[in-house]
Amino acid sequence: YNVISPIREDDSIIGILGVNIDITERKKMEEALRESEERFRTVQEVSPDGFTILRPVRDAAGRVVDFTWIYENDTIARLNGTDPKAVLGRSLLEVFPGHCGSNIFEAYRQVAETGESVILEDWYLGETVTRKTWFRLVVVSMGKDVAVLAQDITERKQAEEVLQDRERE
């Protein structure tokens, strides 16, 4: 990186001031970061599991009151019935008002406030989720954000219910 400036006296250039800064290491780090992000996106896009990154929204007292979508892969978009591009930057409770006070929302809030991971199995039905869907959620802190790994476990839960019904009979 070079910066060259003329040194002027009256209307004449009497010299040139130059500064050279070696930014090779910075460029290498930027390239490594870009490659890392590309690998992350590739892995997430082909994953059979849903993956979402949410950023906590806090009130004046610092309590988590909502989340903003930072990222969601195609798998969770199918499960949620959402469009990944349309939800980015939007509020979780704007898209899913039924999450307010739910076990799912409370798990997100707990991770955002404590940094401790939560594993939860719960179902959801409402808004864009048009059938009762059971989810296994692994919610973890990801710096200032919350990452959610989601699996649709509806078939397993239905099989467990059938087995329990048979045992009761």
Side-chain angles (χ1 to χ4, degrees), residues 48-145:
D49 297 327
F51 186 74
T52 304
I53 300 174
L54 302 169
R55 179 154 299 144
V57 175
R58 298 177 186 273
D59 65 12
R63 292 182 302 260
V64 175
V65 294
D66 202 349
F67 293 86
T68 302
W69 253 288
I70 302 301
Y71 172 81
E72 79 172 4
N73 71 359
D74 290 338
T75 303
I76 196 66
R78 279 192 302 280
L79 293 173
N80 283 341
T82 54
D83 175 353
K85 291 178 180 75
V87 296
L88 292 185
R90 291 185 63 194
S91 156
L92 175 69
L93 294 179
E94 175 188 348
V95 178
F96 290 107
H99 272 18
C100 187
S102 71
N103 292 337
I104 293 171
F105 186 85
E106 291 307 314
Y108 298 168
R109 182 195 321 249
Q110 181 180 342
V111 171
E113 291 180 348
T114 68
E116 296 177 16
S117 300
V118 171
I119 298 175
L120 172 71
E121 289 186 2
D122 204 354
W123 62 272
Y124 195 76
L125 173 65
E127 294 89 29
T128 58
V129 180
T130 57
R131 68 175 175 85
K132 181 179 177 181
T133 304
W134 278 90
F135 294 98
R136 180 178 189 272
L137 304 174
V138 178
V139 188
V140 298
S141 177
M142 194 168 141
K144 62 184 175 183
D145 298 329

Side-chain angles (χ1 to χ4, degrees), residues 2-66:
N2 298 316
V3 177
I4 299 175
S5 299
I7 300 172
R8 297 183 182 272
E9 189 174 284
D10 297 321
D11 286 336
S12 301
I13 295 176
I14 61 168
I16 295 177
L17 176 63
V19 178
N20 292 321
I21 301 170
D22 185 355
I23 59 171
T24 304
E25 286 306 310
R26 187 179 89 196
K27 289 294 186 182
K28 285 180 183 177
M29 288 176 23
E30 288 173 356
E31 179 63 18
L33 179 60
R34 188 192 61 71
E35 288 174 2
S36 176
E37 288 173 349
E38 192 174 298
R39 281 191 300 272
F40 165 81
R41 285 202 188 279
T42 299
V43 167
Q44 289 309 317
E45 291 307 318
V46 299
S47 174
D49 297 327
F51 186 74
T52 304
I53 300 174
L54 302 169
R55 179 154 299 144
V57 175
R58 298 177 186 273
D59 65 12
R63 292 182 302 260
V64 175
V65 294
D66 202 349

